[in-house]
Coordinates of all heavy atoms in Angstrom, one line a residue:
M62 N 0.9 -1.1 0.0 CA 0.0 0.0 0.0 C 1.0 1.3 0.0 O 1.0 2.0 1.0 CB -1.0 0.0 1.2 CG -1.8 -1.3 1.2 SD -3.0 -1.2 2.5 CE -4.1 0.1 1.8
H63 N 1.6 1.5 -1.1 CA 2.5 2.6 -1.2 C 2.1 3.6 -2.4 O 1.9 3.0 -3.5 CB 3.9 2.1 -1.5 CG 4.4 1.2 -0.3 ND1 4.9 1.8 0.9 CD2 4.5 -0.1 -0.2 CE1 5.2 0.7 1.6 NE2 5.0 -0.4 1.0
P64 N 2.1 4.8 -2.0 CA 1.8 5.7 -3.3 C 3.1 5.8 -4.1 O 4.2 5.4 -3.7 CB 1.6 7.1 -2.5 CG 2.3 6.9 -1.2 CD 2.2 5.4 -0.9
F65 N 2.9 6.4 -5.2 CA 4.1 6.4 -6.2 C 4.9 7.6 -6.1 O 6.1 7.7 -6.4 CB 3.5 6.2 -7.7 CG 2.9 4.9 -7.8 CD1 1.5 5.0 -7.9 CD2 3.5 3.8 -7.8 CE1 0.8 3.6 -8.1 CE2 2.9 2.5 -8.0 CZ 1.6 2.5 -8.1
A66 N 4.3 8.8 -5.6 CA 5.0 10.1 -5.6 C 4.3 11.0 -4.6 O 3.1 10.9 -4.4 CB 5.1 10.8 -6.9
C67 N 5.0 12.0 -4.0 CA 4.4 12.9 -3.1 C 3.5 13.8 -3.9 O 3.9 14.4 -4.9 CB 5.6 13.7 -2.5 SG 5.0 15.1 -1.5
A68 N 2.3 14.1 -3.4 CA 1.4 14.8 -4.1 C 1.7 16.4 -4.1 O 1.4 17.2 -4.9 CB 0.0 14.8 -3.4
T69 N 2.6 16.8 -3.1 CA 3.0 18.2 -3.0 C 4.2 18.5 -3.9 O 4.2 19.4 -4.6 CB 3.4 18.4 -1.5 OG1 2.3 18.3 -0.7 CG2 3.8 19.9 -1.3
C70 N 5.3 17.6 -3.8 CA 6.5 18.0 -4.5 C 6.9 17.0 -5.7 O 7.8 17.3 -6.4 CB 7.7 18.1 -3.5 SG 8.1 16.5 -2.8
G71 N 6.2 15.9 -5.7 CA 6.4 14.9 -6.8 C 7.6 14.0 -6.5 O 8.0 13.1 -7.3
N72 N 8.2 14.1 -5.4 CA 9.4 13.3 -4.9 C 9.0 11.8 -4.9 O 7.9 11.4 -4.3 CB 9.9 13.7 -3.6 CG 11.2 13.0 -3.2 OD1 11.6 11.9 -3.7 ND2 11.9 13.5 -2.2
T73 N 9.8 10.9 -5.4 CA 9.5 9.5 -5.4 C 10.2 8.8 -4.3 O 10.1 7.5 -4.2 CB 9.7 8.8 -6.8 OG1 11.1 9.0 -7.1 CG2 8.9 9.4 -7.8
Q74 N 11.1 9.4 -3.5 CA 11.8 8.8 -2.4 C 10.9 9.0 -1.3 O 11.1 9.8 -0.4 CB 13.1 9.6 -2.2 CG 14.0 9.4 -3.4 CD 14.4 8.0 -3.8 OE1 14.8 7.2 -3.0 NE2 14.2 7.6 -5.1
L75 N 10.0 8.1 -1.0 CA 9.0 8.1 0.0 C 9.4 7.1 1.1 O 10.1 6.2 1.0 CB 7.6 7.7 -0.6 CG 7.1 8.5 -1.8 CD1 5.9 8.0 -2.3 CD2 7.0 9.9 -1.3
H76 N 8.9 7.4 2.3 CA 9.1 6.6 3.5 C 7.7 6.2 4.1 O 6.7 7.0 3.9 CB 10.1 7.1 4.4 CG 9.5 8.4 5.0 ND1 9.6 9.6 4.4 CD2 8.9 8.7 6.2 CE1 9.1 10.5 5.1 NE2 8.6 10.0 6.3
D77 N 7.7 5.1 4.9 CA 6.5 4.7 5.6 C 6.3 5.7 6.7 O 7.2 6.1 7.3 CB 6.5 3.3 6.0 CG 6.4 2.2 4.9 OD1 5.9 2.7 3.8 OD2 6.9 1.2 5.1
L78 N 5.0 5.9 7.2 CA 4.6 6.7 8.2 C 3.6 5.9 9.1 O 2.7 5.4 8.6 CB 3.9 8.0 7.8 CG 3.3 8.8 8.8 CD1 4.5 9.5 9.6 CD2 2.5 9.9 8.1
Q79 N 4.1 5.7 10.4 CA 3.1 5.0 11.2 C 2.0 6.0 11.6 O 2.2 7.0 11.8 CB 3.9 4.7 12.5 CG 4.9 3.6 12.4 CD 4.4 2.2 11.9 OE1 3.4 1.8 12.5 NE2 5.0 1.7 11.0
S80 N 0.8 5.3 11.6 CA -0.5 6.2 11.9 C -1.2 5.3 12.9 O -1.4 4.1 12.9 CB -1.2 6.4 10.6 OG -2.5 7.0 10.8
N81 N -2.0 6.1 13.6 CA -2.9 5.4 14.5 C -4.3 5.2 13.8 O -5.2 4.6 14.3 CB -3.2 6.2 15.9 CG -3.8 7.5 15.5 OD1 -4.2 7.8 14.4 ND2 -3.8 8.5 16.6
G82 N -4.3 5.6 12.7 CA -5.5 5.4 11.7 C -6.7 6.3 12.0 O -7.9 6.1 11.4
V83 N -6.5 7.2 12.9 CA -7.7 8.2 13.2 C -7.7 9.4 12.3 O -6.6 10.0 12.2 CB -7.7 8.6 14.7 CG1 -8.7 9.6 15.0 CG2 -7.8 7.3 15.6
G84 N -8.8 9.9 11.9 CA -8.9 11.0 11.0 C -10.2 11.6 10.8 O -11.2 11.1 11.5
I85 N -10.5 12.5 9.9 CA -11.8 13.1 9.7 C -12.0 12.9 8.2 O -11.2 13.1 7.3 CB -11.7 14.6 10.0 CG1 -11.5 14.8 11.5 CG2 -13.0 15.2 9.6 CD1 -11.3 16.2 11.9
V86 N -13.2 12.5 7.9 CA -13.8 12.3 6.5 C -13.8 13.7 5.7 O -14.5 14.6 6.2 CB -15.1 11.7 6.4 CG1 -15.6 11.4 4.9 CG2 -14.9 10.2 7.1
K87 N -13.1 13.8 4.7 CA -13.1 14.9 3.9 C -14.0 14.8 2.5 O -14.4 15.8 2.1 CB -11.7 15.3 3.4 CG -10.8 15.7 4.5 CD -11.3 16.9 5.2 CE -10.4 17.4 6.5 NZ -11.0 18.5 7.2
A88 N -14.2 13.6 2.0 CA -15.1 13.4 0.9 C -15.6 11.9 0.9 O -15.0 11.0 1.4 CB -14.2 13.6 -0.4
C89 N -16.8 11.8 0.3 CA -17.4 10.4 0.3 C -17.9 10.2 -1.1 O -18.3 11.1 -1.8 CB -18.6 10.3 1.2 SG -18.4 10.7 3.0
S90 N -17.9 9.0 -1.6 CA -18.6 8.6 -2.7 C -19.0 7.1 -2.8 O -18.4 6.3 -2.0 CB -17.5 8.7 -3.9 OG -18.0 8.5 -5.2
V91 N -20.0 6.7 -3.6 CA -20.4 5.4 -3.6 C -20.0 4.8 -5.0 O -20.4 5.4 -6.0 CB -22.0 5.3 -3.4 CG1 -22.5 3.9 -3.7 CG2 -22.4 5.8 -2.0
V92 N -19.4 3.7 -4.9 CA -19.0 3.1 -6.2 C -19.9 2.0 -6.6 O -20.3 1.2 -5.8 CB -17.6 2.4 -6.0 CG1 -17.1 1.6 -7.2 CG2 -16.5 3.3 -5.6
T93 N -20.6 2.2 -7.8 CA -21.5 1.3 -8.4 C -21.0 0.5 -9.6 O -21.5 -0.5 -9.9 CB -22.8 2.1 -8.8 OG1 -22.5 3.0 -9.8 CG2 -23.5 2.6 -7.6
R94 N -19.9 1.0 -10.1 CA -19.2 0.4 -11.3 C -17.8 0.1 -10.9 O -17.0 1.0 -11.1 CB -19.3 1.2 -12.5 CG -20.8 1.4 -13.0 CD -20.8 2.2 -14.2 NE -19.9 1.6 -15.3 CZ -19.8 1.9 -16.5 NH1 -20.5 3.0 -16.9 NH2 -19.0 1.4 -17.4
A95 N -17.6 -1.1 -10.3 CA -16.2 -1.3 -9.8 C -15.2 -1.7 -10.9 O -15.6 -2.1 -12.0 CB -16.4 -2.6 -8.8
P96 N -14.0 -1.6 -10.6 CA -12.9 -1.8 -11.6 C -12.6 -3.2 -12.1 O -12.0 -3.4 -13.1 CB -11.7 -1.2 -10.9 CG -11.9 -1.4 -9.5 CD -13.4 -1.1 -9.4
D97 N -13.0 -4.2 -11.1 CA -12.7 -5.6 -11.5 C -13.7 -6.5 -10.9 O -14.6 -6.1 -10.1 CB -11.3 -6.0 -11.3 CG -10.9 -5.9 -9.7 OD1 -11.8 -6.1 -9.0 OD2 -9.6 -5.5 -9.5
A98 N -13.5 -7.8 -11.2 CA -14.5 -8.8 -10.8 C -14.6 -8.8 -9.3 O -15.7 -8.9 -8.7 CB -14.3 -10.2 -11.4
H99 N -13.4 -8.8 -8.6 CA -13.4 -8.8 -7.2 C -14.2 -7.7 -6.5 O -15.1 -7.9 -5.6 CB -11.9 -8.7 -6.6 CG -11.9 -8.5 -5.2 ND1 -12.0 -9.5 -4.2 CD2 -11.7 -7.3 -4.4 CE1 -11.9 -9.1 -3.1 NE2 -11.7 -7.8 -3.1
W100 N -14.1 -6.4 -6.9 CA -14.8 -5.3 -6.4 C -16.3 -5.4 -6.9 O -17.1 -4.8 -6.1 CB -14.1 -4.1 -6.7 CG -12.7 -3.9 -6.0 CD1 -11.5 -4.1 -6.5 CD2 -12.5 -3.8 -4.6 NE1 -10.5 -4.1 -5.6 CE2 -11.1 -3.9 -4.4 CE3 -13.3 -3.7 -3.5 CZ2 -10.6 -3.8 -3.1 CZ3 -12.8 -3.5 -2.2 CH2 -11.5 -3.6 -2.0
R101 N -16.5 -5.8 -8.1 CA -17.9 -5.8 -8.6 C -18.8 -6.7 -7.6 O -20.0 -6.4 -7.5 CB -18.0 -6.4 -10.0 CG -17.7 -5.4 -11.1 CD -18.0 -5.8 -12.4 NE -17.1 -6.8 -13.0 CZ -15.9 -6.5 -13.5 NH1 -15.5 -5.2 -13.6 NH2 -15.2 -7.5 -14.0
A102 N -18.1 -7.7 -7.1 CA -19.0 -8.6 -6.2 C -19.3 -7.8 -4.8 O -20.3 -8.2 -4.2 CB -18.1 -9.8 -5.8
L103 N -18.7 -6.7 -4.6 CA -18.9 -5.9 -3.4 C -19.8 -4.7 -3.7 O -20.2 -4.0 -2.7 CB -17.6 -5.5 -2.7 CG -16.7 -6.7 -2.3 CD1 -15.4 -6.1 -1.8 CD2 -17.3 -7.5 -1.2
A104 N -20.0 -4.4 -4.9 CA -20.6 -3.1 -5.3 C -22.1 -3.3 -5.0 O -22.8 -4.3 -5.1 CB -20.5 -2.7 -6.7
P105 N -22.8 -2.1 -4.6 CA -22.2 -0.8 -4.4 C -21.4 -0.8 -3.0 O -21.9 -1.4 -2.0 CB -23.3 0.1 -4.4 CG -24.5 -0.7 -3.8 CD -24.2 -2.2 -4.4
Y106 N -20.4 0.0 -2.9 CA -19.6 0.2 -1.7 C -19.1 1.7 -1.6 O -19.2 2.4 -2.6 CB -18.6 -0.8 -1.5 CG -17.5 -0.7 -2.7 CD1 -16.4 0.2 -2.7 CD2 -17.6 -1.5 -3.8 CE1 -15.5 0.2 -3.7 CE2 -16.8 -1.5 -4.9 CZ -15.6 -0.6 -4.8 OH -14.7 -0.6 -5.8
S107 N -18.9 2.1 -0.4 CA -18.5 3.5 -0.2 C -17.1 3.6 -0.1 O -16.3 2.7 0.5 CB -19.1 4.0 1.2 OG -20.5 4.0 1.0
I108 N -16.4 4.7 -0.6 CA -15.1 5.0 -0.4 C -15.1 6.5 0.0 O -16.0 7.2 0.0 CB -14.2 4.9 -1.7 CG1 -14.8 5.8 -2.8 CG2 -14.1 3.5 -2.2 CD1 -13.9 5.9 -4.1
V109 N -13.9 6.7 0.8 CA -13.9 8.1 1.5 C -12.4 8.5 1.3 O -11.5 7.7 1.3 CB -14.2 8.0 3.0 CG1 -15.7 7.9 3.2 CG2 -13.4 7.0 3.7
L110 N -12.2 9.8 1.4 CA -10.9 10.4 1.6 C -10.9 10.9 3.1 O -11.8 11.6 3.5 CB -10.7 11.6 0.7 CG -10.5 11.4 -0.8 CD1 -10.4 12.7 -1.6 CD2 -9.3 10.5 -0.9
V111 N -9.8 10.5 3.7 CA -9.7 10.9 5.2 C -8.5 11.6 5.5 O -7.4 11.1 5.0 CB -9.7 9.5 6.1 CG1 -9.5 9.8 7.5 CG2 -11.1 8.9 5.9
A112 N -8.5 12.7 6.1 CA -7.3 13.4 6.6 C -6.9 12.8 7.9 O -7.6 13.0 8.9 CB -7.5 14.9 6.7
L113 N -5.8 12.1 8.0 CA -5.4 11.5 9.1 C -4.7 12.5 10.1 O -4.2 13.6 9.8 CB -4.3 10.4 8.8 CG -4.8 9.3 8.0 CD1 -3.5 8.4 7.7 CD2 -5.8 8.5 8.7
E114 N -4.7 12.2 11.5 CA -4.2 13.1 12.5 C -2.8 13.5 12.2 O -2.3 14.5 12.6 CB -4.4 12.5 13.9 CG -5.7 12.5 14.4 CD -5.8 11.8 15.8 OE1 -5.0 11.1 16.2 OE2 -6.9 12.0 16.4
E115 N -2.0 12.5 11.6 CA -0.5 12.6 11.3 C -0.3 13.5 10.2 O 0.8 13.8 9.9 CB 0.1 11.3 11.2 CG 0.1 10.4 12.5 CD -1.2 9.7 12.7 OE1 -2.1 9.7 11.7 OE2 -1.4 9.1 13.7
G116 N -1.3 13.9 9.4 CA -1.1 14.9 8.3 C -1.6 14.3 6.9 O -2.3 15.0 6.1
P117 N -1.2 13.1 6.5 CA -1.6 12.7 5.2 C -3.1 12.4 4.9 O -3.8 12.2 5.9 CB -0.8 11.3 5.0 CG 0.2 11.2 6.0 CD -0.3 12.1 7.2
T118 N -3.5 12.5 3.8 CA -4.8 12.2 3.3 C -4.8 10.8 2.6 O -4.0 10.7 1.7 CB -5.5 13.2 2.5 OG1 -5.6 14.5 3.3 CG2 -6.9 12.8 2.0
V119 N -5.7 9.9 3.0 CA -5.7 8.6 2.4 C -7.1 8.2 1.9 O -8.1 8.8 2.4 CB -5.1 7.5 3.3 CG1 -3.7 7.8 3.7 CG2 -5.9 7.4 4.6
M120 N -7.2 7.3 0.9 CA -8.5 6.8 0.4 C -8.7 5.4 1.1 O -7.7 4.6 1.1 CB -8.5 6.8 -1.1 CG -9.8 6.3 -1.7 SD -9.8 6.2 -3.4 CE -9.7 7.9 -3.9
G121 N -10.0 5.1 1.3 CA -10.2 3.8 1.8 C -11.7 3.5 1.6 O -12.6 4.3 1.3
Q122 N -12.1 2.2 1.9 CA -13.4 1.8 1.9 C -14.1 2.2 3.2 O -13.4 2.3 4.2 CB -13.5 0.2 1.7 CG -14.8 -0.2 1.2 CD -14.8 -1.7 1.0 OE1 -14.2 -2.5 1.6 NE2 -15.6 -2.1 0.0
A123 N -15.4 2.3 3.3 CA -16.0 2.9 4.4 C -17.4 2.3 4.7 O -18.1 1.9 3.8 CB -16.1 4.4 4.4
D124 N -17.9 2.5 6.0 CA -19.2 2.2 6.3 C -20.1 3.1 5.5 O -19.7 4.3 5.3 CB -19.5 2.4 7.7 CG -18.7 1.3 8.6 OD1 -18.2 0.4 8.1 OD2 -18.7 1.7 9.9
A125 N -21.3 2.7 5.0 CA -22.2 3.5 4.2 C -22.7 4.8 4.8 O -23.0 5.8 4.1 CB -23.3 2.6 3.7
E126 N -22.8 4.7 6.2 CA -23.5 5.9 6.7 C -22.5 7.0 7.1 O -23.0 8.1 7.6 CB -24.1 5.4 8.1 CG -23.2 5.0 9.2 CD -22.6 3.7 9.2 OE1 -23.0 2.9 8.3 OE2 -21.9 3.3 10.1
L127 N -21.3 6.9 6.8 CA -20.2 7.9 7.1 C -20.5 9.2 6.2 O -20.8 9.0 5.0 CB -18.9 7.5 6.8 CG -18.4 6.4 7.8 CD1 -16.9 6.0 7.5 CD2 -18.4 6.9 9.3
T128 N -20.3 10.3 6.7 CA -20.4 11.6 6.0 C -19.3 12.5 6.2 O -18.4 12.3 7.1 CB -21.7 12.4 6.3 OG1 -21.7 12.6 7.8 CG2 -23.0 11.5 6.1
V129 N -19.2 13.5 5.4 CA -18.0 14.5 5.5 C -18.0 15.1 6.9 O -19.1 15.4 7.5 CB -18.1 15.6 4.4 CG1 -17.1 16.7 4.8 CG2 -18.0 15.0 3.1
G130 N -16.9 15.2 7.5 CA -16.8 15.7 8.9 C -16.8 14.6 10.0 O -16.4 14.9 11.2
D131 N -17.1 13.4 9.7 CA -17.2 12.3 10.8 C -15.8 12.0 11.1 O -14.8 11.9 10.3 CB -17.8 11.1 10.2 CG -19.4 11.1 10.1 OD1 -19.9 12.1 10.7 OD2 -19.9 10.3 9.4
H132 N -15.6 11.7 12.4 CA -14.3 11.2 12.9 C -14.3 9.7 12.8 O -15.3 9.0 13.1 CB -14.2 11.6 14.4 CG -14.0 13.0 14.6 ND1 -12.7 13.6 14.9 CD2 -14.8 14.0 14.7 CE1 -12.9 14.8 14.9 NE2 -14.1 15.1 14.9
V133 N -13.3 9.2 12.2 CA -13.1 7.7 11.8 C -11.8 7.1 12.2 O -10.9 7.9 12.5 CB -13.4 7.5 10.3 CG1 -14.7 7.9 9.9 CG2 -12.3 8.4 9.5
T134 N -11.8 5.8 12.4 CA -10.6 5.0 12.6 C -10.5 4.0 11.5 O -11.5 3.4 11.1 CB -10.7 4.3 13.9 OG1 -10.9 5.2 14.9 CG2 -9.5 3.5 14.1
G135 N -9.3 3.9 10.9 CA -9.1 2.9 9.8 C -8.2 1.8 10.2 O -7.5 1.9 11.2
S136 N -8.4 0.7 9.5 CA -7.5 -0.5 9.7 C -7.3 -1.2 8.3 O -8.2 -1.0 7.5 CB -8.1 -1.5 10.7 OG -9.4 -2.0 10.2
V137 N -6.2 -1.9 8.2 CA -5.9 -2.6 7.0 C -6.7 -3.9 7.0 O -6.6 -4.7 8.0 CB -4.4 -2.8 6.8 CG1 -4.1 -3.6 5.5 CG2 -3.7 -1.5 6.7
Q138 N -7.4 -4.1 6.0 CA -8.3 -5.4 5.9 C -7.7 -6.2 4.7 O -7.1 -5.6 3.7 CB -9.7 -5.0 5.6 CG -10.3 -4.1 6.7 CD -10.5 -4.8 7.9 OE1 -11.1 -5.9 8.0 NE2 -10.1 -4.2 9.0
S139 N -8.0 -7.5 4.7 CA -7.6 -8.3 3.5 C -8.9 -9.0 3.1 O -9.7 -9.4 3.8 CB -6.5 -9.4 4.0 OG -5.4 -8.7 4.4
A140 N -8.9 -9.1 1.7 CA -10.0 -9.9 1.0 C -9.3 -10.6 -0.1 O -8.8 -10.0 -1.1 CB -11.1 -9.0 0.6
S141 N -9.3 -11.9 0.0 CA -8.6 -12.7 -1.1 C -7.1 -12.3 -1.1 O -6.4 -12.3 -0.1 CB -9.3 -12.6 -2.4 OG -8.8 -13.5 -3.3
T142 N -6.7 -11.8 -2.2 CA -5.3 -11.3 -2.3 C -5.1 -9.8 -2.3 O -4.1 -9.2 -2.6 CB -4.7 -11.8 -3.6 OG1 -5.5 -11.3 -4.7 CG2 -4.6 -13.3 -3.8
T143 N -6.2 -9.1 -1.9 CA -6.2 -7.6 -1.9 C -6.1 -7.1 -0.5 O -6.9 -7.7 0.4 CB -7.5 -7.2 -2.6 OG1 -7.6 -7.7 -4.0 CG2 -7.5 -5.6 -2.7
E144 N -5.4 -6.2 -0.3 CA -5.4 -5.3 1.0 C -6.0 -4.0 0.7 O -5.7 -3.4 -0.3 CB -4.0 -5.3 1.6 CG -3.5 -6.5 2.2 CD -2.2 -6.2 3.0 OE1 -1.3 -5.4 2.5 OE2 -2.0 -7.0 4.0
F145 N -6.7 -3.6 1.7 CA -7.3 -2.2 1.5 C -7.5 -1.6 2.9 O -7.5 -2.3 3.9 CB -8.6 -2.2 0.8 CG -9.7 -3.2 1.4 CD1 -10.6 -2.6 2.2 CD2 -9.7 -4.6 1.1 CE1 -11.6 -3.4 2.8 CE2 -10.6 -5.4 1.7 CZ -11.7 -4.9 2.5
I146 N -7.7 -0.3 3.1 CA -8.0 0.4 4.3 C -9.5 0.5 4.4 O -10.2 1.0 3.5 CB -7.4 1.8 4.4 CG1 -5.8 1.7 4.2 CG2 -7.6 2.4 5.7 CD1 -5.2 3.0 4.0
R147 N -10.0 0.1 5.6 CA -11.5 0.3 5.8 C -11.6 1.2 7.1 O -11.0 1.1 8.1 CB -12.1 -1.1 6.1 CG -13.5 -1.0 6.6 CD -14.4 -2.0 5.9 NE -15.8 -1.9 6.3 CZ -16.7 -1.4 5.6 NH1 -16.3 -1.0 4.4 NH2 -17.9 -1.3 5.9
F148 N -12.5 2.2 6.9 CA -12.8 3.2 7.9 C -14.2 2.9 8.4 O -15.2 2.7 7.8 CB -12.7 4.6 7.3 CG -11.3 5.0 7.0 CD1 -10.9 4.9 5.7 CD2 -10.6 5.6 8.0 CE1 -9.6 5.3 5.5 CE2 -9.2 5.9 7.7 CZ -8.8 5.8 6.4
C149 N -14.2 3.1 9.8 CA -15.5 3.1 10.7 C -15.5 4.3 11.5 O -14.6 4.9 11.7 CB -15.6 1.8 11.5 SG -15.4 0.3 10.6
R150 N -16.8 4.6 12.0 CA -16.9 5.7 12.8 C -16.0 5.6 14.1 O -16.0 4.4 14.6 CB -18.3 5.8 13.3 CG -18.7 7.2 14.0 CD -20.2 7.3 14.2 NE -21.0 7.1 13.1 CZ -21.2 7.9 12.2 NH1 -20.7 9.1 12.1 NH2 -22.1 7.6 11.1
H151 N -15.3 6.6 14.5 CA -14.4 6.6 15.6 C -15.2 6.5 16.9 O -16.0 7.3 17.2 CB -13.5 7.7 15.6 CG -12.5 7.8 16.7 ND1 -11.5 6.8 16.8 CD2 -12.2 8.6 17.8 CE1 -10.7 7.2 17.9 NE2 -11.2 8.2 18.4
Q152 N -14.9 5.5 17.8 CA -15.5 5.4 19.0 C -14.6 5.9 20.1 O -13.6 5.3 20.4 CB -15.8 3.9 19.3 CG -16.7 3.2 18.4 CD -18.1 3.8 18.2 OE1 -18.6 4.2 19.3 NE2 -18.7 4.0 17.0
Q153 N -14.9 7.1 20.6 CA -14.1 7.6 21.7 C -14.5 7.1 23.0 O -15.6 6.8 23.2 CB -14.3 9.3 21.6 CG -13.8 9.9 20.4 CD -13.8 11.4 20.5 OE1 -14.1 11.9 21.6 NE2 -13.4 12.1 19.5
N154 N -13.5 7.1 23.9 CA -13.8 6.5 25.2 C -14.6 7.5 26.0 O -14.2 8.7 26.2 CB -12.5 6.3 25.9 CG -11.8 5.1 25.4 OD1 -12.3 4.3 24.7 ND2 -10.4 5.1 25.6
E155 N -15.9 7.2 26.3 CA -16.7 8.1 27.0 C -16.6 7.8 28.6 O -16.7 6.6 28.9 CB -18.2 7.9 26.5 CG -18.4 8.4 25.1 CD -19.8 8.2 24.6 OE1 -20.7 8.2 25.6 OE2 -20.0 8.1 23.4
Q156 N -16.3 8.7 29.3 CA -16.3 8.6 30.7 C -17.6 9.2 31.3 O -17.9 10.3 31.0 CB -15.1 9.3 31.3 CG -13.8 8.8 30.7 CD -12.6 9.3 31.4 OE1 -12.7 10.2 32.3 NE2 -11.4 8.9 31.1
T157 N -18.2 8.4 32.1 CA -19.4 8.8 32.8 C -19.2 9.2 34.2 O -18.3 8.5 34.9 CB -20.5 7.8 32.7 OG1 -20.0 6.5 33.3 CG2 -20.9 7.5 31.2
E158 N -19.8 10.2 34.8 CA -19.7 10.6 36.1 C -20.6 9.7 37.0 O -21.8 9.5 36.7 CB -19.9 12.0 36.3 CG -19.0 12.9 35.6 CD -19.3 14.3 35.8 OE1 -20.0 14.6 36.9 OE2 -18.8 15.2 35.1
S159 N -20.2 9.2 38.2 CA -21.1 8.5 39.0 C -21.7 9.3 40.0 O -21.3 10.2 40.5 CB -20.2 7.3 39.8 OG -19.6 6.5 38.8

């Protein structure tokens, strides 16, 4: 899961960045015409652009109910021979007063 070049400067000497996977949804779309047989079996499915807390913006698959501005957490998922990022609504630890 590596990009080919920096979106800002075009540099191809990239390095991995550890992320906690938490971010904010910046854009959402529903895919109804998938690129290949594997993804066609899952269509329709939602994809999102997420601005991670560490800075980068990444694309991934998402729960259908997510909207722009939602706080999400992503994780790498595997399906057959394909790996992808899947985002779900971020569950913050809620502390209740007794």
Side-chain angles (χ1 to χ4, degrees):
M62 301 188 72
H63 299 282
F65 300 109
C67 173
T69 302
C70 68
N72 188 345
T73 58
Q74 300 300 312
L75 305 176
H76 63 276
D77 289 336
L78 172 70
Q79 292 294 317
S80 173
N81 63 12
V83 176
I85 298 175
V86 175
K87 295 298 181 183
C89 304
S90 184
V91 175
V92 175
T93 57
R94 294 184 55 174
D97 60 35
H99 170 78
W100 293 107
R101 276 192 289 277
L103 302 172
Y106 57 90
S107 297
I108 57 171
V109 290
L110 288 178
V111 174
L113 297 174
E114 287 181 342
E115 295 82 8
T118 297
V119 296
M120 180 184 290
Q122 197 177 34
D124 293 342
E126 73 275 359
L127 292 179
T128 59
V129 172
D131 284 346
H132 290 263
V133 294
T134 302
S136 61
V137 176
Q138 304 289 311
S139 295
S141 187
T142 60
T143 303
E144 285 189 326
F145 57 95
I146 302 171
R147 174 132 181 105
F148 288 97
C149 300
R150 191 174 311 280
H151 182 65
Q152 302 295 323
Q153 293 188 5
N154 294 336
E155 294 183 24
Q156 295 185 4
T157 57
E158 294 181 22
S159 300

